[in-house]
Amino acid sequence: MLQRTTIDTTVVPAGDRFGMWLDLVARTTAPLHIRTEHADDFSARAEQVALGPITLVSYRYPSLDGIRTQKLIRRSDPEMYLLALVGTGDSEATQEGRRSVLQPGELTFYDGSLPHRVRHEGGAHGREDVRSVVAVIPHAMLPLPPQRLAPLLGGRMSGTEGIGALLAQFMLQVTTHPEQYHAADADRLGTVGLDLVSTLLGRHLVAEDAVPSDVRRRALATQVQAYIQRNLRDAGLTPQVVADAHHISLRSLHRLFEAEESTVASYIRDLRLARCRHDLADPGLRTLSIQAIAARWGFPDKAHFSRVFRAAHGVTPQSWRAERAGLAQIVNRPASTVNSPEAD
């Protein structure tokens, strides 16, 4: 699984928690001077997941104010950008004369090499914790020059629609469930995240041409694949529907998938078959007919589903389900029964 590094202040006595957090902040890529009304019991948690070219950090902490000064920058400047997604609570970001008040689901972007100020207030008038996820990105990794990015510093971007929503979902999924990914996936996931960030920033600058074409292509491929996964249940999901939803030609869509070493139709089919295999093997869905399972994943024709399933797996759906049910019985059988003479 992906490696996750966790800092939890609740492992020390209440009086030592704020000091522990200050020590953590002092060792981060962009140290801040922090003030809080919760210094006597600062219960907080940070979980970091390294993804090759970028790092994602999930935070939970009480209300606070933080400021990064020129003095702190002179002391430590690792040249990093930060893109933050507000999870709960209200946030405020100020940099380069731009001040933004952010609500949950919004993103802000700032440069750790320049002075900035952040304020985070939890819900219920500061009594609830703040939650956020931050992408830490080296300057050299973004394909956009600093002068082009300057208009975005301290600004607001939506994390609930378009590329912003896809990026927010990516950040939350990876930090919430790193165990679902292999360590070998880290660099590839980092590239996906970096492409989404680059495309989002380029679109907000109305300067998408400044983003290299291969970055735009990979970001569009990720967006298309996410759309397909969200709409798998729709039996009317076809390559043309996918192309229309993304305002590109069918030919462009096919070219996009050539680089993914797949076709659009086979990508849709394989995902649907994977969902069907999962449901057929699920004991909790044993009372659901094979036809119903097939239909719920976009195979309304039972005979067609059976042919496609057999071509892909060499057995019929009925046989697959029966085999998995038999294996489940063996696995769940008490050890005394399995080892008893009667079991033989």
Side-chain angles (χ1 to χ4, degrees):
M1 72 173 67
L2 293 175
Q3 184 175 359
R4 174 165 54 185
T5 303
T6 302
I7 301 292
D8 188 346
T9 66
T10 61
V11 300
V12 300
D16 297 333
R17 291 171 182 172
F18 188 53
M20 180 182 180
W21 190 257
L22 291 179
D23 181 57
L24 164 67
V25 171
R27 291 184 280 111
T28 61
T29 55
L32 302 166
H33 288 309
I34 292 180
R35 294 180 301 172
T36 181
E37 297 179 355
H38 305 274
D40 56 337
D41 183 5
F42 198 82
S43 299
R45 184 180 182 92
E47 296 179 325
Q48 175 178 301
V49 181
L51 299 177
I54 68 173
T55 299
L56 298 180
V57 189
S58 174
Y59 289 106
R60 176 182 58 76
Y61 44 76
S63 301
L64 59 80
D65 288 287
I67 184 169
R68 182 155 169 78
T69 63
Q70 284 285 8
K71 184 177 180 180
L72 285 175
I73 293 168
R74 288 194 296 271
R75 187 183 303 168
S76 172
D77 183 13
E79 299 186 344
M80 297 284 186
Y81 292 115
L82 300 101
L83 188 140
L85 170 67
V86 179
T88 60
D90 296 326
S91 294
E92 182 180 303
T94 304
Q95 187 168 58
E96 295 292 272
R98 190 175 296 103
R99 172 180 169 272
S100 297
V101 177
L102 301 133
Q103 303 297 320
E106 292 187 314
L107 296 148
T108 189
F109 178 70
Y110 47 99
D111 187 344
S113 295
L114 296 173
H116 61 269
R117 184 169 188 166
V118 293
R119 180 189 63 80
H120 304 292
E121 183 174 347
H125 305 289
R127 291 191 296 272
E128 297 177 356
D129 284 344
V130 176
R131 294 178 185 269
S132 64
V133 182
V134 177
V136 183
I137 310 156
H139 283 181
M141 288 291 101
L142 278 181
L144 296 162
Q147 61 272 23
R148 299 291 295 273
L149 292 169
L152 297 180
L153 299 178
R156 296 167 57 200
M157 292 174 281
S158 173
T160 58
E161 58 185 17
I163 288 290
L166 193 58
L167 175 59
Q169 291 163 12
F170 171 85
M171 294 169 69
L172 290 170
Q173 172 65 22
V174 173
T175 54
T176 305
H177 298 291
E179 74 283 354
Q180 295 182 2
Y181 305 94
H182 297 291
D185 297 330
D187 285 347
R188 174 58 178 158
L189 287 170
T191 299
V192 169
L194 189 58
D195 289 344
L196 292 173
V197 171
S198 301
T199 303
L200 176 68
L201 297 177
R203 290 191 178 178
H204 276 269
L205 288 171
V206 195
E208 198 170 349
D209 288 343
V211 181
S213 59
D214 60 326
V215 172
R216 295 201 307 271
R217 183 199 61 77
R218 291 196 301 264
L220 178 58
T222 301
Q223 190 175 10
V224 167
Q225 290 168 356
Y227 174 85
I228 290 172
Q229 292 176 28
R230 290 196 305 271
N231 292 278
L232 272 182
R233 294 176 182 269
D234 182 0
L237 183 68
T238 65
Q240 186 64 62
V241 169
V242 174
D244 292 345
H246 292 84
H247 310 291
I248 59 176
S249 68
L250 186 58
R251 183 177 180 181
S252 296
L253 180 66
H254 286 311
R255 282 203 303 267
L256 190 68
F257 272 75
E258 284 175 3
E260 301 297 319
E261 299 183 352
S262 178
T263 66
V264 191
S266 64
Y267 182 78
I268 295 172
R269 182 197 63 225
D270 292 346
L271 282 179
R272 284 174 167 164
L273 285 173
R275 301 296 195 279
C276 290
R277 289 198 308 271
H278 176 273
D279 286 0
L280 288 170
D282 186 346
L285 299 177
R286 197 170 299 161
T287 58
L288 200 61
S289 71
I290 291 174
Q291 184 173 1
I293 289 175
R296 79 189 296 196
W297 292 115
F299 291 109
D301 186 296
K302 181 180 179 181
H304 172 69
F305 170 64
S306 185
R307 287 195 301 271
V308 171
F309 193 96
R310 183 162 191 157
H313 305 297
V315 295
T316 65
Q318 293 91 335
S319 297
W320 174 276
R321 184 178 231 181
E323 289 173 5
R324 294 307 175 277
L327 289 173
Q329 289 179 357
I330 293 173
V331 170
N332 295 325
R333 188 182 303 170
S336 58
T337 303
V338 172
N339 296 325
S340 68
E342 291 82 358
D344 296 330

